[in-house]
Amino acid sequence: MTGKVIMACMFLAGCCIKGNAQGFNISGYVDNYTMIVETDPKITDETLWQNVTCQRLNAEWMPNEHLQIGIGMRNHLIWGNDKVTEELGEWVRKNENLLDLSWQAISKKGLMMNLALDRCMVQWSAEQWEVKVGRQQINWGQTIVWNPNNIFGTSPFITSYYSEYSVCDAVRTTYYHNETSRSELAASADRAGKPTIALLHTNHIRNTDLQVLGGVYKGNNMVVGGGFSTSVNDVNIRMEGSYFHNFKATKEKADIVEIALGADRIFPNNLTLQGEVLYTNNPIKVSVEDFWERSFLQPYAGLLTISHWSFACGLHYPFTARCSIKAVGGYWYDHRAIYADVELKYQIAQDLQISAIAHAADHNDDPIRIDARMGTLRLKWNF
């Protein structure tokens, strides 16, 4: 624990010392959510309210044209209802990576604070080669909501505490064949030491981006997949799919197939519409206790949804340069579960924005029957 505190202090001190050095850049944000939740039936007699403050601090240093060093911290301060604080704290503290680079600064009833080093990467590049070593994001997805090709990290469908893709401790080598084609070889290991090693190749043919991938996932799964993005009559069409074969499992355990297909369009008045559907032959099994978190959090690439068929849609429209509205909806066919939210956002200043969000969810499949409504006030400052 002491080592982690020293590491964090050294990082912050380094930011202050190097802040004016050539090739050094600091950025980040502070994102605060204040939420009030109501459920039917009630989970507890207490009012379900929560405040989540997420702070990111990124530092990048380029000592020369070939070398780049990046470090990033992700810190959470959560307080409110005891039960919700405990559940959110468990997800914030959860570490699937090989190295544990987080520190629980505060852990009390109804209050927790977690500090985490979730970027620590050295990148070397020269001509057509690029090598990245350390904790980093590897995003191989083509679609927007669900990404079967993202075997190194997933992104939650809906989240109220951290909206970025997860990171992994990995070594990644990229070779750029030309401006529109590249090949990547990446290797990572999770907390249990299970390796994920895969090769990705992308190319651009006419107006279509194509990709194929293959490798070993979590040590005991063979994975092959691919996807594409194209445009037809001003409509962007995206597709990706993956097949997972567990070569250590018994015959009773089925292989996993996941296919996502989506489309989106930006109209002349800047209205954006988007829709996506996901099919899997092996949905996540859920209970009353973990239904909501399983619905949204997508723990692994092979476990993206609770339903054989899942649907999502979205809308974004800027009324003015400062004010916009966004709506998101989801439907899980197997459980007749629905989620929807509407967000009204206002840009107070160039780096400061405020938004109000109304959420609603409904699950009607026996034996799980629960409704939830939530209101969120969000304030975000970028620096």
Side-chain angles (χ1 to χ4, degrees), residues 12-177:
L12 294 174
C15 291
C16 298
I17 295 172
K18 294 288 187 178
N20 297 320
Q22 185 176 4
F24 194 86
N25 179 60
I26 296 177
S27 64
Y29 60 78
V30 178
D31 200 359
N32 188 84
Y33 298 81
T34 302
M35 301 170 284
I36 298 179
V37 186
E38 182 184 58
T39 63
D40 183 21
K42 292 185 179 296
I43 298 175
T44 174
D45 293 333
E46 300 177 5
T47 300
L48 293 177
W49 72 273
Q50 206 70 24
N51 196 89
V52 179
T53 302
C54 177
Q55 180 264 329
R56 274 208 62 84
L57 181 62
N58 302 314
E60 294 182 352
W61 182 35
M62 294 187 65
N64 57 59
E65 62 178 345
H66 300 294
L67 190 63
Q68 178 180 344
I69 300 171
I71 300 176
M73 293 193 69
R74 181 204 68 186
N75 307 318
H76 281 91
L77 178 64
I78 303 174
W79 73 91
N81 177 266
D82 298 343
K83 180 178 178 62
V84 181
T85 299
E86 182 180 355
E87 292 181 356
L88 284 177
E90 289 179 0
W91 278 102
V92 168
R93 293 191 301 266
K94 191 175 182 179
N95 176 51
E96 298 292 341
N97 297 306
L98 182 63
L99 302 177
D100 185 3
L101 300 179
S102 67
W103 173 52
Q104 193 74 2
I106 301 174
S107 181
K108 297 181 179 180
K109 190 175 182 180
L111 175 66
M112 67 84 63
M113 183 176 184
N114 181 266
L115 310 178
L117 191 65
D118 76 339
R119 301 284 192 283
C120 192
M121 176 270 298
V122 176
Q123 175 180 309
W124 173 86
S125 58
E127 296 180 352
Q128 295 171 280
W129 289 95
E130 182 179 275
V131 179
K132 293 183 181 180
V133 180
R135 180 159 291 184
Q136 58 187 286
Q137 285 183 336
I138 301 180
N139 181 6
W140 286 358
Q142 291 278 350
T143 48
I144 296 175
V145 179
W146 295 287
N147 301 118
N149 284 180
N150 253 352
I151 60 176
F152 289 96
T154 58
S155 174
F157 174 49
I158 298 294
T159 180
S160 297
Y161 66 89
Y162 192 59
S163 58
E164 300 184 27
Y165 280 90
S166 57
V167 294
C168 60
D169 299 327
V171 178
R172 175 168 50 157
T173 301
T174 306
Y175 178 76
Y176 294 92
H177 303 274

Side-chain angles (χ1 to χ4, degrees), residues 269-331:
N269 63 351
N270 292 320
L271 169 67
T272 301
L273 297 178
Q274 181 262 331
E276 190 168 310
V277 58
L278 172 71
Y279 167 78
T280 180
N281 68 330
N282 188 34
I284 306 171
K285 293 180 174 60
V286 294
S287 62
V288 176
E289 292 76 16
D290 64 2
F291 172 75
W292 297 118
E293 62 190 45
R294 291 290 189 180
S295 301
F296 303 135
L297 290 178
Q298 303 180 17
Y300 303 105
L303 297 172
L304 293 180
T305 180
I306 63 171
S307 174
H308 286 87
W309 291 95
S310 304
F311 304 87
C313 61
L315 173 153
H316 178 265
Y317 180 68
F319 297 107
T320 67
R322 289 181 176 267
C323 184
S324 64
I325 189 171
K326 183 179 72 171
V328 175
Y331 179 67

Side-chain angles (χ1 to χ4, degrees), residues 333-350:
Y333 178 80
D334 290 2
H335 298 278
R336 293 183 295 165
I338 301 173
Y339 171 86
D341 71 45
V342 179
E343 177 181 10
L344 184 64
K345 182 186 298 183
Y346 183 76
Q347 197 76 27
I348 301 174
Q350 181 178 358

